[in-house]
Amino acid sequence: MDPNDRTRVSEVMSTPLETIAPDASIQEAARRMREKDISALVVTTGPRSIVTQSDVIGAVADGLSVEETPVSDVMTREVETVTPDLLMEEVAAMMTMYGVKHLPVVEDDYVGMVSSTDVTAHLS
């Protein structure tokens, strides 16, 4: 990344934030992701949880019933978050350090999502 680049998360994050209830089915999560052309949903439960395409694929590979298994059984808990004023350079470093592709953006409450796709698009 260009060391002079001062682009902030707020300039590239995806909004509005797409959410899903923890008791929704894995199938519903997959349907919503396809419908919205996104790869993660924030789960509206306890602290910092998301369900991603990787979580859904893992559930299918494990033979779980996508119609009956709730998102809460496969979601990723305690995800790292970022603030809207963070520099994209810092986001890229965080994604690499934590090995993640999505970081919810929080400012008092969830306000958006920044993904590795956003980082890649920003760099091109």
Side-chain angles (χ1 to χ4, degrees):
M1 289 188 102
D2 177 358
N4 298 319
D5 184 1
R6 307 307 291 169
T7 304
R8 307 275 176 193
V9 167
S10 60
E11 298 173 55
V12 299
M13 69 184 186
S14 300
T15 59
L17 182 67
E18 297 296 330
T19 63
I20 193 160
D23 58 353
S25 69
I26 295 170
Q27 183 176 38
E28 173 64 13
R31 186 189 64 72
R32 297 259 314 277
M33 284 186 240
R34 182 179 65 188
E35 199 174 85
K36 300 289 184 178
D37 194 27
I38 57 176
S39 54
L41 299 163
V42 167
V43 182
T44 55
T45 186
R48 303 184 324 238
S49 298
I50 65 173
V51 62
T52 67
Q53 284 180 339
S54 295
D55 296 326
V56 172
I57 290 168
V60 170
D62 290 343
L64 299 178
S65 168
V66 295
E67 297 90 5
E68 296 174 13
T69 305
V71 164
S72 60
D73 284 4
V74 299
M75 67 187 184
T76 303
R77 293 172 169 81
E78 298 297 322
V79 297
E80 297 297 324
T81 60
V82 295
T83 57
D85 61 337
L86 202 63
L87 294 172
M88 287 303 294
E89 167 183 314
E90 296 169 300
V91 170
M94 284 180 71
M95 286 182 172
T96 301
M97 182 170 62
Y98 294 117
V100 298
K101 296 179 182 174
H102 301 90
L103 290 167
V105 183
V106 177
E107 185 176 56
D108 293 330
D109 198 6
Y110 289 108
V111 294
M113 180 82 72
V114 65
S115 70
S116 57
T117 304
D118 298 324
V119 173
T120 303
H122 172 69
L123 292 174
S124 39

